[in-house]
Amino acid sequence: MGKEARNKARELRAAQVAAEQRRRKRMRLFGWIGGLVIVGLLAGIIYVVADAMSDDDGGRPTGELVVPANADANGAVVVGQANAPVTVDVYQDFICPGCGAFEQANGSELERLVNEGKIKLALHPLGFLDEYSQGTRYSSRAANAFATVADRAPGSLLAFNKALYVEQPAENTKGLNDDKIAEIAVKAGVPQDVADAFKDRIFEPWVADSTEKAFKAGIKGTPTVKINGKNYEGDFTAPGALTQAIAAAGGK
């Protein structure tokens, strides 16, 4: 090999070495950046999970499952005479706008039918829409308050149920905090000591269990209404429509 050829070979080898060094440097840089991306993603995931599991108003329900008084095996609080000729099941979520419209249209009429002994009302307070309250789990917290009143001040339950819908927050907001829920309860006739117990979250495990039972029973949305076990397919908001369906089922 001549001198010129040897020089060219050395130059080529030097260029190859330099290229390999640059390649390795890029790989280290990409690996470092990739590591940062992975760390960032992991941090984001951890944050989202932590945010979902805890908030200003408390985390996921923990502790013993305590069943409120007057609750049945299907996860409903029952109001009315046991021998009433018609049973009306209402599956509801306190941040559900359709449930608010249903209560406005039918709440007073259902209460009248309960008081007259014509229906037994089974109210299922659910946590279906917890994800629509910016991490505060408003649906479950409101349902826990409802269950607390059912257990300790049942005479005020329907009034409190109505009041929660009068003050219903919009979906995709944080909902009402515990103090506001307690304030609403007291104005509806719930004793202060009962309202103060909302923060103890005694019945949140029951709410979670009731919500799971509703899913397993095929309930896909709220409000869902059943009359003597059969789905009510009529207009939820048409005045008198639900009352007529109840009368046709024997609740005259």
Side-chain angles (χ1 to χ4, degrees):
M1 181 183 294
K3 182 176 180 181
E4 184 177 355
R6 288 197 298 272
N7 288 339
K8 286 184 178 180
R10 283 195 294 269
E11 290 174 0
L12 179 60
R13 178 59 182 161
Q16 290 173 337
V17 170
E20 177 64 17
Q21 289 176 341
R22 289 195 298 271
R23 186 186 70 81
R24 290 180 179 181
K25 185 176 181 180
R26 285 197 300 271
M27 291 299 294
R28 287 195 299 270
L29 178 61
F30 291 154
W32 180 72
I33 293 174
L36 286 179
V37 170
I38 291 172
V39 170
L41 287 172
L42 288 174
I45 292 170
I46 291 169
Y47 174 81
V48 170
V49 172
D51 185 62
M53 295 185 67
S54 63
D55 51 80
D56 291 342
D57 295 289
R60 296 291 181 187
T62 58
E64 180 184 0
L65 193 156
V66 180
V67 179
N70 304 312
D72 66 14
N74 299 315
V77 171
V78 180
V79 181
Q81 299 175 12
N83 62 350
V86 174
T87 298
V88 179
D89 285 88
V90 178
Y91 294 82
Q92 60 180 355
D93 187 303
F94 289 108
I95 205 170
C96 161
C99 296
F102 173 83
E103 169 62 27
Q104 184 177 3
N106 301 288
S108 296
E109 187 68 358
L110 289 175
E111 184 173 6
R112 178 185 69 81
L113 294 171
V114 166
N115 292 336
E116 293 178 359
K118 295 179 178 179
I119 68 169
K120 179 174 62 177
L121 183 61
L123 296 170
H124 301 251
L126 305 178
F128 267 18
L129 301 179
D130 271 342
E131 62 185 275
Y132 291 93
S133 54
Q134 297 186 16
T136 72
R137 301 177 57 254
Y138 175 74
S139 298
S140 288
R141 290 188 297 107
N144 168 74
F146 175 92
T148 305
V149 173
D151 186 71
R152 302 184 181 185
S156 299
L157 184 63
L158 293 182
F160 178 49
N161 188 74
K162 179 179 181 179
L164 280 174
Y165 285 116
V166 171
E167 300 280 351
Q168 184 181 47
E171 287 182 321
N172 298 310
T173 67
K174 289 187 175 182
L176 309 176
N177 61 31
D178 289 340
D179 289 338
K180 181 62 178 178
I181 295 173
E183 177 186 322
I184 291 169
V186 171
K187 288 181 179 179
V190 176
Q192 184 66 57
D193 63 324
V194 176
D196 290 341
F198 295 168
K199 291 183 178 180
D200 295 336
R201 290 174 169 41
I202 295 170
F203 297 103
E204 281 203 20
W206 176 79
V207 171
D209 183 68
S210 299
T211 301
E212 183 65 23
K213 286 179 178 177
F215 276 122
K216 290 180 178 179
I219 304 302
K220 295 180 173 61
T222 54
T224 293
V225 178
K226 295 187 176 185
I227 301 175
N228 284 342
K230 296 181 179 180
N231 283 348
Y232 170 66
E233 304 292 352
D235 190 337
F236 286 127
T237 59
L242 179 61
T243 302
Q244 291 174 10
I246 291 171
K252 297 180 180 180

